[in-house]
Amino acid sequence: MGPRRRNVANTERSTHETIVDRFPLAKRQFRTYVTKPRYWLFPLLLFGLGVASSLELAFGNADAKQYLGSRYPLIAFQWFCSIIGGFVGIFAGYASVTGDRNTGRLPLLLKLPYSRSEYLRQKFLGHAGALSALLVLALGAGFAVCTVALGPPPILETLAFVAVSVLYVLVWLSIAMTVSMVVATGRRAIAALLPIFVATGMLWRMTFTSILTPIVGDLPQPVSLLVTRLVPFRAYLVATNWIAGLPNSHSYGTWISQELNTEFVSDSTIVSMELGSSVPWYLSEWLAIPVLVFWLVVPPVVASRRFEAVDIV
């Protein structure tokens, strides 16, 4: 090995060791996820269901496939990412802090050179790195199989879909860690998170309508559509529909495609059909990305201030 190649190898090794030394807790969390067989159920389940739907082996939609063509695998994976990805993010993070607190590890960890904010940061990085790697692996393998069977999907759209799907799963991880910071036990955390996921998912419009209508009366249609897409579940659907080239909607892409391709009337909501040509700027599809970023960043920042102030012993 020449001196130059040896220097490059030494530099790479030094960089890796620096990262490991700087984030030891994150590294341990990452290894916990990627080395235990049960955590691989997430990518295997997502891969199997997404491919089965894309190839119409199960859960397929011939009308949506005919309308979307090579983009259909994006929408086939959309449904499973929105549900399975959300649940996985929740179950990955709901005991992230309460588990260490209840087993007595948290005070011991904070005796090491960790501030409370550094502890939270490394816990999140470890979980996020593992979930991101497993999700990218599942989607990458799934799209590779679909490419062989159906032809290649659009490259840029596929990369954007993967990036937004990773962001969505990390949003639910972030929300789960937020709840884990402010409750005493993992049972309380999961008891709060599952209703939150259900109420802000497919039942969100019913939820906020039942809350707001008695207070302010019927909301104007544009405002109602805006409120609908302010939660992670719907924001993810808006963003991925936009990426797949579908009309502006917070409904599942398969429903939209089916309604556009046939005379079948689904439960989908297409903004242009609801409002005509006068669509306000705050219903633009790209705003779904800032909404997801908001849910990723703001809840844990707010909860971390309380966490840093409370007695953890």
Side-chain angles (χ1 to χ4, degrees), residues 13-273:
R13 190 181 304 111
S14 176
T15 301
H16 172 73
E17 290 173 353
T18 300
I19 294 173
V20 170
D21 292 341
R22 189 173 180 181
F23 301 105
L25 183 58
K27 177 189 175 185
R28 189 176 71 183
Q29 293 296 318
F30 180 88
R31 282 185 172 177
T32 298
Y33 271 83
V34 299
T35 57
K36 289 189 176 180
R38 69 174 180 267
Y39 292 122
W40 285 86
L41 291 175
F42 166 47
L44 290 175
L45 184 62
L46 184 60
F47 168 82
L49 292 174
V51 170
S53 179
S54 298
L55 302 183
E56 295 186 87
L57 301 176
F59 312 107
N61 189 309
D63 294 324
K65 186 174 182 180
Q66 180 181 355
Y67 180 81
L68 289 165
S70 63
R71 295 170 292 158
Y72 177 67
L74 302 180
I75 296 305
F77 274 90
Q78 179 198 58
W79 196 95
F80 301 108
C81 285
S82 66
I83 301 294
I84 298 173
F87 276 117
V88 168
I90 287 173
F91 281 99
Y94 82 95
S96 55
V97 178
T98 57
D100 287 342
R101 178 187 290 148
N102 295 335
T103 58
R105 288 196 304 265
L106 184 54
L108 296 176
L109 286 170
L110 294 178
K111 288 181 181 179
L112 299 174
Y114 296 132
S115 64
R116 295 191 185 193
S117 60
E118 182 65 19
Y119 162 79
L120 295 174
R121 186 179 304 113
Q122 291 207 34
K123 289 285 284 189
F124 178 79
L125 288 175
H127 288 303
L131 287 182
S132 299
L134 295 176
L135 178 58
V136 170
L137 178 63
L139 292 177
F143 289 139
V145 172
C146 293
T147 296
V148 173
L150 305 174
I155 294 177
L156 292 180
E157 286 85 346
T158 301
L159 294 175
F161 177 86
V162 172
V164 172
S165 297
V166 169
L167 175 60
Y168 172 72
V169 172
L170 297 189
V171 163
W172 281 110
L173 171 64
S174 176
I175 293 173
M177 286 193 64
T178 297
V179 175
S180 188
M181 291 181 216
V182 300
V183 300
T185 66
R187 288 184 178 180
R188 293 182 184 178
I190 201 68
L193 285 163
L194 291 181
I196 289 173
F197 181 75
V198 173
T200 61
M202 300 188 71
L203 300 180
W204 172 236
R205 192 156 193 172
M206 182 189 306
T207 302
F208 81 76
T209 300
S210 62
I211 295 172
L212 293 179
T213 300
I215 301 173
V216 300
D218 293 332
L219 296 174
Q221 183 72 339
V223 176
S224 177
L225 292 172
L226 172 64
V227 176
T228 301
R229 56 181 63 199
L230 289 180
V231 292
F233 182 87
R234 294 297 176 181
Y236 173 71
L237 295 184
V238 172
T240 47
N241 286 335
W242 178 44
I243 289 168
L246 288 171
N248 187 349
S249 176
H250 56 257
S251 303
Y252 279 116
T254 50
W255 297 356
I256 302 168
S257 304
Q258 190 173 18
E259 185 165 330
L260 293 174
N261 193 48
T262 66
E263 295 181 356
F264 175 81
V265 178
S266 69
D267 293 328
S268 64
T269 300
I270 300 174
V271 172
S272 60
M273 292 185 178

